[in-house]
Amino acid sequence: AEAMLADGPLAGRKIVVTSGPTHEPIDPVRYIANRSSGAQGTAIARALVALGAEVVFVTGPADVAPPEGVVLKRVETANDMRKAVMEALPADAAIFAAAVADWRVSNAADSKMKKTKTGLPALEFAENPDILADVSKDKARPALVVGFAAETDDVIENATAKRKRKGCDWIVANDVSPKTGIMGGSENAVTIIDENGADNWPRMGKDQVARKLAERISEALQGKQK
Ligand code: CTP
Ligand code: CA
């Protein structure tokens, strides 16, 4: 385990990190979700703690255990995640690594749907709130807001447009098309997109991506008021 630096470069900084998938219920035993192990978000939170930050870790039901030393907020749905994030503000930075479900089932059943009774269910959907976009335009907007963009096509173009649309400072973009083998693996190849352009990082372990990102966040917050 990495040592916690009481006086590291991020000491006195509060950082909100979202991680993992959200689960949107269909009925009490079924849900829809995005694929997400939570590995990258967890590694980022751990790296921020190691630099001395106070981390509020808002996580959906992930495969990996949450890191030590965080303020842990476990959530299930996108609406729960939004609420937990808003309650955590104000903060110096917010990092949105979660794979939030874009839609929830608006006609979710209170009791288990039975295949013998129901036949094929007709699911209806409602759009979930966009937590990153909402925080980016909030009165209590953190000085640094970082979003992610997991894309399968036209990665840089899509991620650059996403940065504008969401109103965040940086987008951490990656190619998750099956040929890369990144989805569910221990490595990641990311491009950091900010107002100055695109910074391509070579493929490396998710832990190393996390440490590099935590360093970059630390540098960006230097000189910003606490
Ligand atoms: N995000 C969020 N709330 C949502 C959807 C996404 O906070 N309801 C955040 C993610 O955590 C990520 C960023 O927004 O940091 C981009 O998510 P992504 O799914 O790539 O963007 P979308 O705008 O949902 O676009 P699409 O899925 O259509 O590509
Ligand atoms: Ca999405």
Side-chain angles (χ1 to χ4, degrees):
E2 280 154 278
M4 228 177 104
L5 305 178
D7 51 4
L10 286 173
R13 299 294 194 178
K14 180 178 174 186
I15 303 183
V16 181
V17 178
T18 72
S19 187
T22 65
H23 284 185
E24 309 296 332
I26 295 170
D27 72 9
V29 301
R30 304 180 178 95
Y31 60 85
I32 62 162
N34 286 37
R35 290 187 200 283
S36 169
S37 64
Q40 189 63 82
T42 299
I44 291 164
R46 185 176 292 121
L48 292 168
V49 168
L51 294 184
E54 175 196 344
V55 174
V56 179
F57 187 65
V58 182
T59 181
D63 299 337
V64 301
E68 279 174 38
V70 298
V71 177
L72 181 62
K73 305 281 181 195
R74 289 184 193 273
V75 298
E76 187 181 348
T77 67
N79 272 320
D80 297 343
M81 184 173 275
R82 184 183 190 282
K83 187 164 177 280
V85 168
M86 290 302 178
E87 281 171 5
L89 300 182
D92 296 287
I95 319 300
F96 292 88
V100 183
D102 291 315
W103 309 285
R104 66 180 176 277
V105 178
S106 57
N107 61 343
D110 292 330
S111 45
K112 186 183 174 186
M113 294 156 81
K114 302 295 287 177
K115 68 179 175 188
T116 45
K117 283 199 196 129
T118 326
L120 292 178
L123 300 182
E124 286 165 24
F125 290 92
E127 194 165 328
N128 272 330
D130 190 321
I131 310 165
L132 170 61
D134 287 355
V135 167
S136 294
K137 59 171 191 265
D138 197 80
K139 282 198 299 287
R141 185 194 196 280
L144 180 67
V145 178
V146 180
F148 279 67
E151 306 283 349
T152 58
D153 307 281
D154 307 322
V155 178
I156 303 301
E157 295 91 310
N158 277 325
T160 303
K162 203 164 267 183
R163 179 181 169 274
K164 290 244 167 65
R165 195 166 72 237
K166 305 271 193 173
C168 58
D169 300 297
W170 304 349
I171 286 275
V172 181
N174 65 355
D175 185 344
V176 293
S177 49
K179 66 174 192 301
T180 65
I182 279 174
M183 206 88 221
S186 62
E187 294 192 324
N188 207 353
V190 304
T191 300
I192 315 291
I193 292 161
D194 65 13
E195 59 186 1
N196 300 315
D199 189 1
N200 271 304
W201 291 359
R203 190 172 177 138
M204 61 184 91
K206 285 183 176 174
D207 289 344
Q208 207 184 334
V209 169
R211 284 193 293 268
K212 255 175 92 78
L213 192 63
E215 290 288 348
R216 203 182 200 271
I217 291 165
S218 172
E219 280 161 28
L221 288 180
Q222 262 156 42
K224 299 220 196 240
Q225 212 178 348
K226 282 197 191 177

